[in-house]
Amino acid sequence: MYKDNISITIEDLKLQDSGIFTIVAERKADQLPTKVIVLHVHDLIRDVQIELSDSWLESKNMCVFHLRCLASGDPNPSYSWSGDLVETGQNLNISLHPAESATLTCTANNTVSIKHTIQTVVCTG
């Protein structure tokens, strides 16, 4: 503490440490006004994965791929897809004819980080 300035250092925070806190400080003769601190602890996106399932539509002679992007992180990430198809959202459906392929990138981002992964799908018929 230097004159009327107060410093506080907090280390090793965890997500559950988020909350509302008050700081009360005293000088020799009086108490300083109470300060309220709202603490938001965020977590980096550490890993992005794509879950993939596919099916064959005999009647249309095509493959249908269902992709779901999964990522950790707090606050919960938002998702976008890029590559041969551009979409937003966690899930993506794509149809391909035999011998066609598509390379897709899922990007997950939150307020503190961004991370992506790539998946290539091939319709073998």
Side-chain angles (χ1 to χ4, degrees):
M1 181 188 311
Y2 299 100
K3 294 187 181 181
D4 289 340
N5 294 328
I6 299 173
S7 297
I8 183 169
T9 302
I10 303 171
E11 297 177 345
D12 299 322
L13 291 169
K14 296 174 181 43
L15 291 174
Q16 59 268 28
D17 294 329
S18 295
I20 299 172
F21 299 88
T22 56
I23 296 177
V24 178
E26 296 178 358
R27 292 188 284 202
K28 290 180 184 177
D30 60 347
Q31 178 178 315
L32 296 173
T34 300
K35 298 289 183 182
V36 176
I37 296 174
V38 179
L39 177 66
H40 299 280
V41 180
H42 300 283
D43 192 18
L44 298 173
I45 295 172
R46 302 194 188 289
D47 187 37
V48 178
Q49 297 179 357
I50 295 175
E51 287 182 348
L52 171 67
S53 64
D54 61 50
S55 57
W56 173 251
L57 289 180
E58 186 74 38
S59 62
K60 295 188 177 185
N61 193 38
M62 62 182 6
C63 299
V64 177
F65 296 91
H66 307 282
L67 297 96
R68 179 175 173 88
C69 195
L70 300 169
S72 60
D74 187 60
N76 291 331
S78 60
Y79 299 93
S80 62
W81 294 88
S82 60
D84 294 338
L85 190 63
V86 176
E87 293 279 332
T88 58
Q90 189 172 16
N91 300 303
L92 178 69
N93 296 317
I94 184 171
S95 301
L96 299 173
H97 293 288
E100 289 183 327
S101 66
T103 300
L104 304 158
T105 301
C106 174
T107 302
N109 66 69
N110 63 14
T111 55
V112 293
S113 62
I114 185 168
K115 199 160 191 148
H116 71 274
T117 191
I118 298 171
Q119 178 78 48
T120 298
V121 293
V122 179
C123 180
T124 57

